[in-house]
Amino acid sequence: MNKKIEDLEQEEEALARAVRSSAQQIWQAGLGAFAKAQQEGGREFTRLVRDGTELQKRARKVEDATDTVARKAERASRRSSGTWGKLEQVFEERVARALAAIDVPARSEIEALNHRIDELERMLAELSVARPKATPKKPAAKKAASRTRPRAAGGDAA
């Protein structure tokens, strides 16, 4: 029985040594990974900074180009608005001359006539209020017209 106990103790010690050795190897692998990550991380960080700087330069170029295009578009818009205003004025003058040539009254003439009509209507309303309305007589023209109609042959009127 002693032999069995000794064998078990030896197996336990071998197992403990194997566990300690594995733990030591795992610890060393972790330290190696950490050291490598620091080295590569530093290089990677430097590379990322360099790439970021390059992207920032490109972004500034794009921003500058966008500003330049916006300024030029604004200038062109200001120039064209003056041109369009002049073109519109020339067009309106030519249309007015053409309408005048065919005796179409101008807007101001029509407005003056409308004002005069309103004034005359107001005056007429004042006159009709001032004088009582007389009842108009029916015209006697119908009776006279029926009397002068020729009679048909045979005696009676149709």
Side-chain angles (χ1 to χ4, degrees), residues 16-80:
R17 270 185 265 136
V19 168
R20 271 189 244 124
S21 176
S22 289
Q24 184 67 28
Q25 287 176 347
I26 291 171
W27 172 253
Q28 288 172 346
L31 286 176
F34 180 72
K36 189 170 186 175
Q38 276 187 324
Q39 282 179 341
E40 300 229 353
R43 278 186 256 153
E44 198 61 30
F45 180 77
T46 304
R47 189 178 62 78
L48 290 173
V49 169
R50 186 183 64 236
D51 292 348
T53 303
E54 186 64 32
L55 285 173
Q56 187 177 18
K57 287 178 186 176
R58 286 185 201 167
R60 282 187 182 151
K61 286 180 184 177
V62 168
E63 185 180 358
D64 291 343
T66 302
D67 289 344
T68 302
V69 168
R71 282 192 308 266
K72 288 185 178 186
E74 185 179 334
R75 275 190 235 131
S77 175
R78 275 188 265 137
R79 286 182 194 151
S80 68

Side-chain angles (χ1 to χ4, degrees), residues 113-134:
L113 288 173
N114 283 334
H115 180 69
R116 181 70 180 139
I117 290 170
D118 291 342
E119 194 176 302
L120 290 172
E121 285 177 344
R122 183 184 48 77
M123 291 171 64
L124 186 60
E126 288 176 3
L127 286 174
S128 66
V129 169
R131 291 187 184 167
K133 290 185 179 179

